[in-house]
Amino acid sequence: MPVIALIIIGAAAGFLATRLMRIEADIPTTMLIGIVGALVGGFILRALIAVAGWLSGFVGAVLGALLVIWVWQRYLRR
């Protein structure tokens, strides 16, 4: 993400966050809060996506194994 976009998004996020938390801050502090929040939130989101990706792979593997067992019991074992 370009630096300008990060500053704009960070400023908007900082403004919204300071209003939601009812904190009075000047513009540079609000922008800094938003930029740091964007970095921390992005890191947490990437970690969650990585875990969700691993977890979805595990769930898919279990469902595939259940399907193989069902086909084996239903059609191949007599």
Side-chain angles (χ1 to χ4, degrees):
M1 181 181 300
V3 175
I4 301 298
L6 180 63
I7 291 171
I8 292 170
I9 292 171
F15 175 77
L16 184 61
T18 55
R19 296 303 171 251
L20 290 173
M21 298 296 291
R22 294 185 173 98
I23 296 172
E24 292 295 325
D26 56 352
I27 293 173
T29 304
T30 301
M31 289 174 61
L32 182 64
I33 289 170
I35 292 169
V36 171
L39 293 173
V40 170
F43 177 74
I44 291 171
L45 184 62
R46 287 178 195 218
L48 287 175
I49 288 172
V51 170
W54 174 81
L55 187 60
S56 65
F58 178 72
V59 170
V62 170
L63 291 175
L66 290 172
L67 179 64
V68 168
I69 291 170
W70 179 78
V71 168
W72 180 59
Q73 287 180 341
R74 181 82 175 171
Y75 296 109
L76 301 175
R77 190 171 177 219
R78 296 213 175 215

